[in-house]
Amino acid sequence: MTHELSETPGAGPDMSASGHPSRRPRRNKVPEVTAYFWIIKVLCTTVGETAADLLNEKAGLGLTGVSVLMSALLAVVLVVQFRTSAYRAGVYWLAVALISVVGTLISDNLTDNMGVPLETTTSVFAVLLAVTFVVWYRRERTLSIHSIDTTGREAYYWLAVLFTFALGTAGGDLVSERMDLGYPLAAVLFALAIAAVAIAYFALGLDAVWSFWIAYVLTRPLGASIGDYLSQPGGDGGLGLGTVVTSGLFLAVILGLVAYLAVTRKDVTDPARVTRRAA
């Protein structure tokens, strides 16, 4: 792995109209990766699993109808996200929560409605994610999440996020079904996999970009396992809290954390540091 994936090679200061370097720092459109980031991410993936089940069961629209509805809502929120000039915690995490639901529904539609095997959907989403990274890097010469400061980079970022949720759903279901682990053991397995990625990053020097995206994929089945364990009936290996209680509980925690971050701005990227990284 080279650090070219994480940094923008050869990039210099922005040029002003007069041809002189501009000192105006670029604004990153995504949050810094902190402990808050990963906590909210796992909570959003849990909501993605339970909310998809809740809407499918209670709304009476079926998987296809719910998928259309949630995709439309996601499109509206992404328009708002793209129109913002900088990272806004509320808008960003609402987009993540919705994309977690949509990614889950895409995978479920292919498997449940169209009968596509999990092996196939997992492989297809893995390829689509890989292609996204290849095109992103060829066009931008960086995959750094510290410089999501153009429309193009933001588009690649959200496309990658969508495919990670779909891949995490299909891959997580495949592993859980093939190994017949049960919800608690599945959660432990995926948590250990994330811990292994963290060790590889901190102790073995695994590239920061690959570490981030591998962990991002793995948090999806982790959150889903937690959500299923809490919401599913006792006879199915869960605690029987139900999708309404589980979704409401996790949404409340997400709202509290996002409100805290919106006020404290603890996860806002320092523009000067982004400029130094790109210099």
Side-chain angles (χ1 to χ4, degrees):
M1 299 293 179
T2 68
H3 291 290
E4 290 182 354
L5 292 174
S6 302
E7 304 298 334
T8 308
D14 294 337
M15 302 300 289
S16 66
S18 63
H20 297 292
S22 171
R23 297 300 178 187
R24 180 179 61 83
R26 297 177 296 175
R27 294 188 177 185
N28 199 26
K29 296 288 295 293
V30 302
E32 281 286 278
V33 181
T34 64
Y36 295 109
F37 178 94
W38 291 116
I39 292 171
I40 299 175
K41 170 61 169 62
V42 172
L43 293 175
C44 283
T45 61
T46 303
V47 169
E49 178 73 11
T50 57
D53 291 342
L54 173 62
L55 291 170
N56 187 35
E57 294 170 2
K58 305 296 184 182
L61 299 176
L63 274 175
T64 302
V66 172
S67 299
V68 172
L69 173 63
M70 299 309 294
S71 296
L73 290 175
L74 173 62
V76 171
V77 174
L78 283 179
V79 169
V80 176
Q81 165 67 24
F82 273 84
R83 290 174 65 87
T84 60
S85 59
Y87 163 66
R88 299 287 183 268
V91 178
Y92 174 87
W93 285 112
L94 178 57
V96 172
L98 287 172
I99 212 168
S100 71
V101 177
V102 171
T104 299
L105 290 170
I106 290 173
S107 179
D108 288 347
N109 266 290
L110 289 172
T111 303
D112 298 338
N113 281 352
M114 302 177 67
V116 181
L118 286 170
E119 294 87 349
T120 302
T121 56
T122 300
S123 300
V124 169
F125 289 133
V127 170
L128 290 174
L129 182 59
V131 169
T132 300
F133 286 140
V134 169
V135 176
W136 181 356
Y137 186 73
R138 286 176 65 88
R139 298 275 299 188
E140 302 293 337
R141 307 311 300 171
T142 179
L143 296 177
S144 174
I145 60 170
H146 302 293
S147 56
I148 308 299
D149 49 15
T150 68
T151 300
R153 291 179 181 181
E154 191 172 9
Y156 291 126
Y157 175 88
W158 286 110
L159 187 60
V161 168
L162 175 62
F163 288 143
T164 62
F165 276 108
L167 173 59
T169 300
D173 289 346
L174 178 61
V175 171
S176 297
E177 288 186 11
R178 291 295 178 270
M179 300 182 69
D180 194 23
L181 296 173
Y183 303 128
L185 285 180
V188 170
L189 173 65
F190 292 120
L192 288 174
I194 294 171
V197 174
I199 292 172
Y201 170 67
F202 287 109
L204 303 177
L206 180 63
D207 183 83
V209 168
W210 293 124
S211 301
F212 172 83
W213 286 111
I214 293 171
Y216 205 96
V217 171
L218 290 171
T219 54
R220 171 59 186 79
L222 171 64
S225 298
I226 294 172
D228 284 337
Y229 179 58
L230 293 173
S231 63
Q232 295 304 309
D236 294 334
L239 293 181
L241 296 181
T243 53
V244 174
V245 173
T246 303
S247 299
L249 174 64
F250 279 73
L251 278 173
V253 177
I254 291 171
L255 289 173
L257 289 174
V258 171
Y260 172 76
L261 293 174
V263 172
T264 62
R265 298 176 63 82
K266 286 182 176 292
D267 62 340
V268 175
T269 302
D270 179 6
R273 183 167 55 178
V274 173
T275 301
R276 289 195 298 272
R277 281 180 176 142

